[in-house]
Amino acid sequence: SEMCIRDSGKTTTLEIASGENYADALSLNNAAEKDKAPILLVRVNAIDKSVEDVIKSSKASLINIAGGEKSVSENTKANIKKISKATINRIGGANRYETALIIAKEFGNLEKFVLADGRNYPDALSVAPLAHKNNQPILLTNPDKTEFIKQIVKDNNTKEITVVGGE
């Protein structure tokens, strides 16, 4: 958190995600790089004092909150608004799969992306440095999302997918 405090004073954007649910924070990987912003983790209904201090001391003009109200509640969003003059932008879909897609589209393109199992975090977490290095968003999937992924590939002229994990 000391690193975040040092870096957050220089950035104009902060990225916020649930620290209780890994999916949205992992999906923010490339957004944070593009914005040169730290990812701050909050609880669904609370902001830890150390994170609150970072938000208060930052000069951010934009705060992106990843995920819907089940990840970061409206109450937590309102509390962030009370301690910052920044514009607050919620980026969320109906579920973690849609949220990852929305974040990927907002902060880059989908010609190349990493595909990881959205039901468990180890694969997505382990590939995050590679995705970051290659400037590729991480999309999440599960066996029920085959058509969802096929449609993404079709709609975005995808040329390369890096799939991580087992069957």
Side-chain angles (χ1 to χ4, degrees):
S1 107
E2 192 174 309
M3 177 69 92
C4 284
I5 291 169
R6 226 181 5 253
D7 291 347
S8 67
K10 299 174 187 170
T11 185
T12 59
T13 304
L14 298 175
E15 312 290 356
I16 293 183
S18 170
E20 298 171 302
N21 180 345
Y22 69 92
D24 297 334
L26 282 170
S27 297
L28 276 173
N29 190 33
N30 278 8
E33 170 59 23
K34 184 176 181 191
D35 289 340
K36 301 294 183 220
I39 298 173
L40 304 176
L41 302 177
V42 299
R43 287 180 273 149
V44 174
N45 289 304
I47 306 168
D48 290 342
K49 176 147 179 24
S50 60
V51 173
E52 190 175 299
D53 291 345
V54 172
I55 295 168
K56 284 179 180 176
S57 67
S58 81
K59 305 214 180 341
S61 58
L62 176 64
I63 296 175
N64 290 315
I65 298 176
E69 292 178 38
K70 290 179 182 175
S71 295
V72 178
S73 71
E74 280 300 310
N75 184 50
T76 299
K77 180 182 172 185
N79 287 334
I80 292 168
K81 224 173 197 153
K82 287 178 189 174
I83 60 173
S84 175
K85 292 182 172 130
T87 300
I88 298 178
N89 177 34
R90 184 183 291 274
I91 308 167
N95 53 45
R96 65 184 55 189
Y97 309 101
E98 285 185 18
T99 296
L101 177 60
I102 292 166
I103 291 169
K105 284 182 173 181
E106 188 157 324
F107 294 94
N109 69 62
L110 291 163
E111 284 187 10
K112 296 180 180 182
F113 62 85
V114 174
L115 191 60
D117 192 328
R119 299 167 299 171
N120 205 351
Y121 71 92
D123 293 337
L125 182 62
S126 66
V127 80
L130 177 67
H132 172 81
K133 179 183 175 204
N134 294 333
N135 196 29
Q136 295 179 353
I138 298 172
L139 295 186
L140 303 173
T141 192
N142 74 42
D144 300 336
K145 298 291 179 197
T146 306
E147 291 306 313
F148 177 70
I149 298 301
K150 284 181 182 177
Q151 193 62 48
I152 291 168
V153 169
K154 182 180 174 191
D155 292 348
N156 295 281
N157 196 24
T158 301
K159 294 175 179 32
E160 181 181 321
I161 302 170
T162 303
V163 179
V164 294
E167 295 178 31

